[in-house]
């Protein structure tokens, strides 16, 4: 009887032990399952957060898809534009900006004739005004970007007797832009206000021959744009010429500034920029064009303009 009792007790103890073991395994399994579920849930939440962050970066970061934006810019902007484009592409690497540089009058005519253009950056308000009157600008995108100044320049070592506008007639030859070119128009405006040329309703209509006659018949090389004037003087083909102050950037060893013409003779030399209506452009191209015009008004762009001798104080 005693042996039977002991046997029963042993069997009961083993049953309790197995039950406890089963409970422990069940608890461990449940704990691991719960831990795994929590881990999966956390991983899923993290993945969703990363996905949302990525989507936010694309939307709020305004990084455009691949597109090409064509910019028509005044010849005097050639050098600074390349630096501006490089700076813009640091945040918009997918936007290819293609610059076309010429006199503002020539670029205006090309836009009027239907040339594919997304942004117009003029060296004068007159050309921009005309484009705007013809409803060729995207409303609300026009901004005055910088101011410039007309300069009388000569080449280094010329030994010219000319000191400025007042004695231009002492030059053996002058490089002068046509009246349809902003710098040519501003030069004529200054000569009128200085009393050298007779007043006219439209100074841009004053011919090169009339300017020559007012300067005692001096030989004048009529140039198609300010870049041609700059080259003609820097190369010594003409003794003096009138260019923008910004055109002397990088040519300090070849060009000598004889006079920076004051604003009371030329008026402000404002450079406006605006998005052009381009019916061939898709939504991405249009959005990038507008964004680039806005970039031109930024502090980053202003710092670059100042490095290239432009005045960023505009009215």
């Amino acid at each position: 009887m005693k042996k039977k009792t002991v046997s029963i007790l042993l069997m009961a103890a083993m049953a309790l032990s197995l039950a406890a073991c089963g409970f422990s395994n069940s608890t461990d399994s449940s704990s691991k399952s719960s831990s795994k579920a929590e881990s999966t849930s956390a991983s899923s939440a993290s993945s969703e957060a990363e996905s949302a962050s990525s989507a936010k970066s694309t939307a709020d970061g305004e990084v455009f898809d691949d597109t090409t934006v064509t910019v028509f810019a005044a010849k005097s902007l050639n050098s600074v534009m390349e630096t501006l484009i490089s700076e813009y592409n640091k945040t918009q690497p997918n936007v290819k900006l293609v610059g076309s540089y010429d006199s503002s009058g020539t670029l205006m005519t090309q836009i009027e004739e239907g040339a594919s253009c997304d942004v117009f950056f003029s060296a004068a308000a007159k050309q921009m005004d005309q484009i705007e009157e013809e409803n060729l600008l995207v409303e609300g995108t026009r901004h005055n970007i910088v101011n410039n100044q007309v300069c009388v320049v000569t080449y280094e070592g010329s030994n010219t007797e000319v000191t400025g506008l007042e004695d231009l007639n002492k030059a053996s030859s002058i490089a002068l832009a046509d009246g349809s070119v902003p710098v040519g128009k501003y030069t004529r405006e200054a000569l009128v206000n200085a009393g050298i040329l007779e007043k006219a309703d439209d100074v841009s209509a004053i011919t090169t021959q009339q300017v020559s006659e007012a300067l005692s018949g001096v030989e004048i090389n009529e140039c198609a744009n300010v870049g041609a004037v700059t080259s003609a003087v820097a190369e010594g083909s003409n003794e003096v010429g009138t260019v923008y102050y910004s055109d002397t950037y990088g040519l300090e060893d070849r060009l000598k500034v004889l006079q920076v013409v004051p604003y009371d003779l030329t008026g402000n030399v404002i450079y406006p920029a605006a998005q052009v209506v381009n019916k061939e452009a898709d939504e991405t191209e249009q959005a990038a064009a507008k964004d680039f015009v806005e970039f031109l008004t930024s502090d980053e762009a202003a710092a670059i303009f100042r490095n290239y001798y432009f005045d960023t104080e505009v009215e």
Side-chain angles (χ1 to χ4, degrees), residues 133-210:
E133 288 170 4
E134 295 169 0
N135 297 316
L136 295 174
L137 297 184
V138 175
E139 187 177 352
T141 63
R142 177 173 175 172
H143 301 278
N144 288 336
I145 306 299
V146 291
N147 207 345
N148 213 338
Q149 278 189 283
V150 175
C151 295
V152 180
V153 296
T154 188
Y155 59 91
E156 283 293 342
S158 69
N159 297 316
T160 184
E161 295 181 11
V162 176
T163 60
L165 292 178
E166 295 289 346
D167 53 9
L168 273 178
N169 60 345
K170 292 181 180 179
S172 59
S173 66
I174 301 172
L176 178 67
D178 177 76
S180 66
V181 179
V183 72
K185 181 258 185 184
Y186 286 122
T187 300
R188 287 163 172 76
E189 184 76 41
L191 290 171
V192 167
N193 289 328
I196 298 170
L197 285 175
E198 292 185 7
K199 291 184 178 180
D201 292 334
D202 181 8
V203 296
S204 63
I206 298 174
T207 67
T208 299
Q209 181 60 34
Q210 289 174 309

Side-chain angles (χ1 to χ4, degrees), residues 294-305:
E294 291 298 326
F295 166 74
L296 294 175
T297 69
S298 69
D299 291 339
E300 293 84 357
I304 293 171
F305 279 119

Side-chain angles (χ1 to χ4, degrees), residues 46-59:
S46 175
S47 178
E48 288 176 5
E50 288 177 4
S51 178
S53 176
S54 177
K56 186 173 187 294
S57 175
T58 301

Side-chain angles (χ1 to χ4, degrees), residues 257-269:
V257 177
L258 299 172
Q259 179 191 25
V260 177
V261 182
Y263 288 128
D264 59 2
L265 291 181
T266 62
N268 284 318
V269 185

Side-chain angles (χ1 to χ4, degrees), residues 73-83 101-102 247 308 310:
K75 187 68 175 177
S76 54
L77 291 164
N78 198 334
S79 296
V80 69
M81 280 296 294
E82 297 308 310
T83 303
Y101 307 101
D102 210 323
D247 292 307
Y308 282 80
F310 285 93

